[in-house]
Amino acid sequence: MPNPPLNRRAFILIGATVAIAAGARAPMAAAATSSAVSTGAPIPVRIVDDRATPATRALFAYLKRQQGKGIMFGHQHDLTYGFTFATPDGRASDTRAAVGDHPAVFGWDTLILDGDERPGSGDATEAENIAALSRCIRQGDARGGINILSAHMPNFVTGGNFWDTTGRVVGQILPGGAKHADFNAFLDRVAKAVRGARRPDGTPIPVIFRPFHENNGGWFWWGAGHTTSAEYIEVFRYTVEYLRDTRGVHNLLYAYSPNSGFGGDPTGYLKTYPGDGFVDVLGYDSYDDSAGSTAWLDGLVKDLAMVVRTANERGKAPALTEFGESGPESRNPKWFTQLLQAVRADPLARQVTHMLTWANFGGTTRAYVPYPGHALLPDFVEYHRDPYTLFAADLRGVFSARTTAVGNTPFMHLVTPTDRQRVTTDRTTVRVRITSAKASRVTCSVNGGRARPLRLDADGFHSGDLPIDPAWTATGSITLTVNARVGAETLTDSALVLLGEVEPLPAGWIDDFEGYGGDDVTLSEAYSHVNSNTTTLSADHKASGSYGLAYAYDFTGAEYTGIGRSVDADWSAFTSLALWLRGDGSENGGVLQIVADGVYFERQFLLADTEGQDITAPFSEFAPAPWDTEHAGAVLDAAHLAKVSAFNLYLGRGSGAATTGVVFVDNIRAE
């Protein structure tokens, strides 16, 4: 799903310093299942589930085999929402209306289970909505395509939706958390819907499951700044293990899909990677708000090349799991074909298996797939005609390969506490999961001390109670290590566990950068990061105390970058936002952004100063973001300030200005 516009359009001002076309390919219903079964020795397939169904293994083999031979086009909700039909019938679609064929990839979402997207309904029973999602998967399969299921999950703590980032949800749904049972109940519904999606012969239809997507952004409750990397990794692993091992769902491949951009650097991309044993598809999401600018295309291709390289090294299938043109209405009439040309021209990027765009919800919303009469339709027709794009009628032998599963190797991971989790109680529960093996002995130790045995519990964890020694708390952290004896091998894992309460900042303060114990990783985990940037603690450039923030930007792949932090505060008693800033002398600029009662208020600043100074920005100088036309004219008054939910600090490139640099920030607060 496209993330909120603020993350892609914060710098609009800074840069200023048809009917089916003749020749369309004829549709071929269910072409994906019509090819003859391959002959010869079975292909060994290493995927997350070594008990996956033959068709699921064959799908993965097809994805790998297809690399470099063409890119499958995908569309979210292709059969359930559109501008060209009112009543879904399992066949009508805007894609078909545009080019005479269905997409090769059909995207669906777990929101159907909650009745929040068609064909689910808020008035339907749980069983009816489960059946509705199963039916969607069957319809996509019947049209000859591949099914992908994304997951926009409700906030299990507050009862809000996926945009509600309050409540530190991930920690609450992990084993031992207060909402763990609620999360299990959600996964139970996913399991029923996926297992219920069967072909007429009774065999389950393979589905690529894509949970917790775009987690490097801060717009979802599972995103950066709202959970740590280790918590994210563990909740992803738990989801896989619960569906695969506890619920016995064996028709899933699993996709990991952060959002752009990474400047081609795999370090940031893999920061929250759950591990090779939990991922089959390496995905990447990127939306263009610039009508196909060179900067966006260059950044996209560089990142896709990185994703493909990483996938090939790890034996995974690479994909552009979400894409779309979401910029101003003055759209590039050659957007689709220029995008395809840029991707196809790169020897690595062209190996992505599929590219899926978002839903045509109709009305006044964005048409990600052009429909007859739309300005982008001629270009989309050309995109469809290109031999390198694949639609449903082009697929052959998707599920026909004869394969054999490569068995999973023994694996152990520390589930709780997670790395850099803060424990403030006098004891915690250590939980360890071991898969594909049985351990003869499992232990935990603190700071290399005495080994304490862990016992297998009713939930399948090796667990034990760990009292917190007051002497440990005095040091601020411990290193917890777990070991498992599996045959002649010892498996091990560890975590840095933070201890004790952190002294709260005064009212109105966002950050003084003193509460991270001098640890750059802990600092980075506290913020969401948009596009390419690095945050570290600086002992040399600061306003006061021991540390300030060194904020390094890189505009090589995008013309802006940003960091953000949840606030959830009442600022109605304050009149301005203040911070200490040392610029880098460039002609670049920045935006202070306050999210208050759902409105994105902004105030710009420049980076010319190199001495370091306090900046005070009265709230009266903030205005709604230029792209937020719904709230044009809104004022950052006491009513809005009473409901502040986030602070974001964006940097944007000025015309002809430097592409890289470092600015220093300290003492961000309302006053």
Side-chain angles (χ1 to χ4, degrees), residues 336-628:
F336 281 97
T337 53
Q338 288 179 2
L339 168 61
L340 179 64
Q341 290 165 5
V343 172
R344 188 175 55 191
D346 187 272
L348 284 173
R350 72 194 312 270
Q351 295 179 38
V352 293
T353 57
H354 64 270
M355 52 195 300
L356 179 143
T357 197
W358 207 244
N360 278 11
F361 285 117
T364 60
T365 59
R366 171 74 63 183
Y368 288 96
V369 169
Y371 49 86
H374 192 280
L376 263 66
L377 180 62
D379 190 56
F380 186 64
V381 170
E382 289 303 310
Y383 169 88
H384 167 259
R385 284 175 172 166
D386 193 294
Y388 208 70
T389 62
L390 304 176
F391 286 67
D394 301 308
L395 304 191
R396 298 289 187 277
V398 176
F399 306 104
S400 65
R402 292 178 60 240
T403 65
T404 182
V406 177
N408 291 340
T409 57
F411 186 77
M412 180 191 71
H413 57 107
L414 178 58
V415 178
T416 64
T418 56
D419 188 57
R420 288 177 169 77
Q421 178 179 330
R422 183 166 293 278
V423 175
T424 59
T425 55
D426 62 359
R427 61 189 59 245
T428 190
T429 301
V430 179
R431 295 180 179 85
V432 172
R433 176 79 81 184
I434 300 171
T435 55
S436 301
K438 290 185 177 180
S440 57
R441 177 175 168 80
V442 182
T443 62
C444 71
S445 62
V446 174
N447 297 334
R450 178 175 62 89
R452 305 162 184 259
L454 301 176
R455 308 297 183 191
L456 190 62
D457 63 25
D459 295 320
F461 300 105
H462 291 269
S463 64
D465 187 59
L466 178 66
I468 303 299
D469 189 323
W472 301 342
T473 304
T475 66
S477 66
I478 58 172
T479 298
L480 178 66
T481 302
V482 292
N483 292 292
R485 189 68 175 173
V486 176
E489 183 181 6
T490 298
L491 307 178
T492 188
D493 197 7
S494 64
L496 177 68
V497 181
L498 308 178
L499 301 176
E501 299 281 359
V502 174
E503 183 176 350
L505 291 168
W509 277 68
I510 297 170
D511 212 337
D512 64 359
F513 304 101
E514 303 299 325
Y516 302 106
D519 181 32
D520 291 335
V521 175
T522 304
L523 164 70
S524 181
E525 297 285 2
Y527 284 83
S528 60
H529 299 257
V530 177
N531 292 330
S532 185
N533 64 66
T534 303
T535 54
T536 56
L537 293 166
S538 171
D540 297 325
H541 302 293
K542 59 187 185 297
S544 61
S546 299
Y547 299 103
L549 170 69
Y551 182 178
Y553 62 84
D554 183 351
F555 300 143
T556 303
E559 297 193 354
Y560 72 94
T561 189
I563 60 174
R565 186 163 189 177
S566 295
V567 178
D568 193 21
D570 181 350
W571 283 2
S572 59
F574 302 102
T575 60
S576 60
L577 183 73
L579 73 159
W580 180 87
L581 176 74
R582 182 180 186 271
D584 61 359
S586 71
E587 297 182 6
N588 295 317
V591 166
L592 305 172
Q593 187 182 79
I594 298 170
V595 185
D597 197 19
V599 183
Y600 296 86
F601 293 96
E602 297 181 346
R603 196 262 202 189
Q604 298 186 37
F605 62 91
L606 298 176
L607 302 182
D609 171 71
T610 58
E611 298 298 322
Q613 62 179 329
D614 284 311
I615 294 177
T616 300
F619 291 140
S620 60
E621 296 180 1
F622 283 75
W627 49 263
D628 192 0

Side-chain angles (χ1 to χ4, degrees), residues 75 77-82 84-85 89 91-98 101-103 106:
H75 188 207
H77 282 301
D78 187 74
L79 301 175
T80 50
Y81 286 95
T84 60
F85 62 97
D89 62 3
R91 185 175 291 272
S93 84
D94 285 352
T95 306
R96 184 175 181 231
D101 196 0
H102 288 103
F106 291 85

Side-chain angles (χ1 to χ4, degrees), residues 1-5 7-8 150-152 162-163 165 210-227 232 236 255-262 269 272 283-287 320-324 356-358 368 528-530:
M1 170 180 285
N3 45 292
N7 296 295
R8 298 191 301 273
S150 56
H152 288 86
F162 45 90
W163 298 124
T165 59
R210 192 173 69 99
F212 307 114
H213 66 299
E214 298 177 4
N215 65 291
N216 56 317
W219 43 90
F220 299 139
W221 55 253
W222 55 86
H226 315 302
T227 187
Y232 176 87
F236 196 108
Y256 167 74
S257 55
N259 194 70
S260 62
F262 298 99
Y269 181 79
T272 52
Y284 173 81
D285 293 7
S286 184
Y287 285 86
L320 179 52
T321 36
E322 281 189 42
F323 81 101
L356 179 143
T357 197
W358 207 244
Y368 288 96
S528 60
H529 299 257
V530 177

